[in-house]
Amino acid sequence: MAGAKRGRGRPATGNAMSSAERQKAYRDRKREEKHAIVTSRNASQEMPPDDGSPRRLIAELDKAHKTVEALRRENALLAAELAASKRAYADLAKRLKT
């Protein structure tokens, strides 16, 4: 025979990571992804191109949240104005009865 028969399976490279090292690398990758998403939300409010990443959806969601918040503020102002108008109408109606 020319050489020894190689064993079954993938050959060892000597660069294998332990379970703890693999888990730490996974957590680090996830932390970086989370940081990248937060950074992309704060980077700019313009719509990024639709390249298949969630950045465009996140930007649209941020814009929608801002619109909803503005509409809630406007609704609160209009509700206060309506309540003041009802009080004024009630006072006027009371004065007209007497």
Side-chain angles (χ1 to χ4, degrees):
M1 255 195 328
K5 186 175 178 185
R6 193 174 77 79
R8 294 179 56 184
R10 186 176 181 157
T13 63
N15 296 330
M17 293 194 302
S18 68
S19 293
E21 289 171 328
R22 282 193 303 274
Q23 184 65 34
K24 182 182 183 312
Y26 172 80
R27 285 192 307 263
D28 291 343
R29 280 193 310 274
K30 289 297 180 182
R31 191 175 302 119
E32 285 299 317
E33 288 174 12
K34 186 176 179 181
H35 179 68
I37 289 173
V38 170
T39 302
S40 69
R41 279 187 173 196
N42 297 334
S44 72
Q45 295 304 319
E46 67 185 40
M47 293 291 177
D50 192 8
D51 58 356
S53 70
R55 291 181 300 160
R56 181 175 180 82
L57 294 175
I58 291 170
E60 287 178 18
L61 182 62
D62 285 344
K63 186 176 180 182
H65 280 303
K66 288 180 182 179
T67 302
V68 167
E69 191 57 38
L71 290 172
R72 283 186 178 154
R73 283 193 300 270
E74 183 181 357
N75 188 30
L77 291 173
L78 291 173
E81 186 178 330
L82 177 63
S85 296
K86 284 182 178 180
R87 284 192 301 273
Y89 176 77
D91 290 343
L92 184 60
K94 190 187 285 185
R95 279 194 277 161
L96 288 176
K97 283 187 179 180
T98 56

